[in-house]
Amino acid sequence: MLSFLSSNLSNARQSLAQVLNFALVLSTAFMMWKGLSVFTASSSPVVVVLSGSMEPAFQRGDLLFLWNRSPRAEVGEIVVYNVRGKDIPIVHRVVRTFPEIEPKTKKVKEISASSPIPNNMLLTKGDNNIADDTELYARGQDHLNREEDIVGSVRGYIPMVGYVTILLSEHPWLKTELAELMESPPEGITVELANESDFYQWKVYMEGPEGSPYHNGRFLVKLSLPTEYPFKPPSVSFGTKIYHPNVTNDDKGSMCLGMLRPDEWKPSSKIAGVLQFARQLLLEPMPDDAVEGRIADQYKNDRARYDELAKEWTRKYASTA
């Protein structure tokens, strides 16, 4: 009996010791993180690069070390900022600075000789992006505020060490968009992943809009997202054959969408908007921006024959009957 009690007490002590050791490790890590935050004056002194928008300077998975005690950020400096209302750290370069602006008057703040160096307003851009970050900022925000928006300036990095973080939490905003589309899809559109383990390849089923020759058809649309999304545009192609001037008449079924051109794409664009625009093209093709010139000419000059062939292809390849 005594040996049984002794054994149980020993097991309990071992379990308690393991719990205490684990708690000690967690508390030590937390204290080190907080200490580093205080030392660097940054709420997140270490971040992982999540996209390829800063290539070749930084690659996805690079671990960055930040410093946030400098009163100003200069042109050419690489900073990390959070978009207001979203917990998404973005690593981009300062391309322009502005004097601080009074929040009430919206005028440039006057600086006296005795004033400390003010927090400046910044404009940022990814080295690998065509346009600046204006479209990424919160609504009504044209610049970043050095004091309010900047998490820190990059002072060092270790290549690829943080890639495991990407694998564990790949693009939370992309998952949010997918969840919203699956829960409340646009009219005539349903969305799902082509592969449950790949968030970059989507299957979209698009119903032909009423009033178009594609009505009563159900088309498979393939949406492919680059790892740099939302800084780079997705690509859209039809998996179902379709007779349309803006879709290539081949096995690829590539769709020409002006908003998806690299020089016209805006990172603030949403996939829902892309899909709605694609479906609208079924109702209102754009023959002047066609990838199939013969079909475009037919659409403009012999609409009846175009409608006849489009309906025939819809019945043959996309019929829901």
Side-chain angles (χ1 to χ4, degrees):
M1 181 68 177
L2 290 175
S3 62
F4 175 76
L5 290 175
S6 177
S7 176
N8 283 346
L9 287 173
S10 177
N11 290 336
R13 281 196 296 268
Q14 289 178 358
S15 298
L16 181 59
Q18 290 176 351
V19 171
L20 290 175
N21 286 335
F22 182 68
L24 180 61
V25 170
L26 288 180
S27 61
T28 301
F30 179 76
M31 290 174 64
M32 290 177 64
W33 178 263
K34 282 298 182 182
L36 192 58
S37 295
V38 172
F39 177 71
T40 61
S42 173
S43 59
S44 183
V46 180
V47 299
V48 175
V49 179
L50 298 177
S51 78
S53 63
M54 277 301 293
E55 293 179 356
F58 296 125
Q59 309 290 325
R60 297 179 74 231
D62 287 354
L63 193 70
L64 308 182
F65 299 95
L66 309 184
W67 179 259
N68 200 34
R69 289 194 174 276
S70 302
R72 295 182 65 87
E74 305 298 338
V75 172
E77 190 171 338
I78 299 175
V79 298
V80 177
Y81 68 90
N82 279 326
V83 178
R84 295 177 188 177
K86 298 180 181 179
D87 188 20
I88 305 172
I90 296 178
V91 184
H92 280 177
R93 191 182 302 275
V94 177
V95 294
R96 191 175 177 187
T97 61
F98 305 85
E100 190 176 12
I101 298 174
E102 289 280 8
K104 292 183 179 180
T105 63
K106 302 298 182 182
K107 295 181 179 179
V108 175
K109 181 183 291 186
E110 294 184 5
I111 305 172
S112 64
S114 60
S115 297
I117 299 175
N119 294 306
N120 55 332
M121 310 297 286
L122 315 172
L123 180 64
T124 54
K125 175 184 173 297
D127 288 357
N128 199 27
N129 292 347
I130 295 175
D132 61 44
D133 292 351
T134 306
E135 291 292 333
L136 289 178
Y137 302 155
R139 181 174 297 179
Q141 184 182 11
D142 296 325
H143 312 99
L144 297 176
N145 183 288
R146 175 66 183 83
E147 182 178 6
E148 297 176 2
D149 301 315
I150 302 301
V151 179
S153 300
V154 178
R155 289 294 184 265
Y157 78 103
I158 302 177
M160 303 301 292
V161 172
Y163 208 87
V164 65
T165 302
I166 295 178
L167 297 178
L168 292 175
S169 58
E170 187 77 68
H171 287 323
W173 61 91
L174 182 57
K175 295 178 182 179
T176 299
E177 279 199 66
L178 176 62
E180 290 174 351
L181 276 170
M182 294 179 72
E183 183 177 342
S184 302
E187 181 182 358
I189 292 172
T190 56
V191 178
E192 62 184 59
L193 289 178
N195 186 323
E196 291 296 329
S197 62
D198 188 353
F199 271 85
Y200 295 102
Q201 304 298 325
W202 295 16
K203 283 200 305 185
V204 180
Y205 291 99
M206 188 174 293
E207 297 175 8
E210 188 174 354
S212 75
Y214 311 103
H215 184 51
N216 291 327
R218 189 169 187 257
F219 300 87
L220 170 63
V221 176
K222 300 175 182 178
L223 185 79
S224 180
L225 293 137
T227 55
E228 296 85 0
Y229 177 84
F231 306 108
K232 296 291 180 66
S235 62
V236 177
S237 61
F238 272 72
T240 304
K241 288 183 70 67
I242 184 171
Y243 193 81
H244 195 285
N246 301 112
V247 181
T248 57
N249 192 4
D250 56 19
D251 292 337
K252 294 182 179 179
S254 301
M255 190 174 202
C256 176
L257 291 177
M259 67 182 298
L260 297 185
R261 293 193 181 101
D263 58 336
E264 295 187 26
W265 172 254
K266 296 181 179 180
S268 60
S269 301
K270 298 291 185 182
I271 295 175
V274 172
L275 297 178
Q276 287 173 314
F277 185 69
R279 188 168 186 261
Q280 185 63 25
L281 274 184
L282 300 187
L283 190 62
E284 300 175 349
M286 299 176 65
D288 294 330
D289 193 22
V291 291
E292 292 291 343
R294 180 183 60 81
I295 299 177
D297 290 339
Q298 187 180 63
Y299 177 82
K300 291 190 288 186
N301 302 316
D302 190 356
R303 183 66 177 273
R305 180 57 178 164
Y306 166 83
D307 286 346
E308 181 183 347
L309 288 173
K311 289 178 180 178
E312 181 181 327
W313 280 45
T314 300
R315 286 192 298 269
K316 184 176 181 180
Y317 300 110
S319 176
T320 57

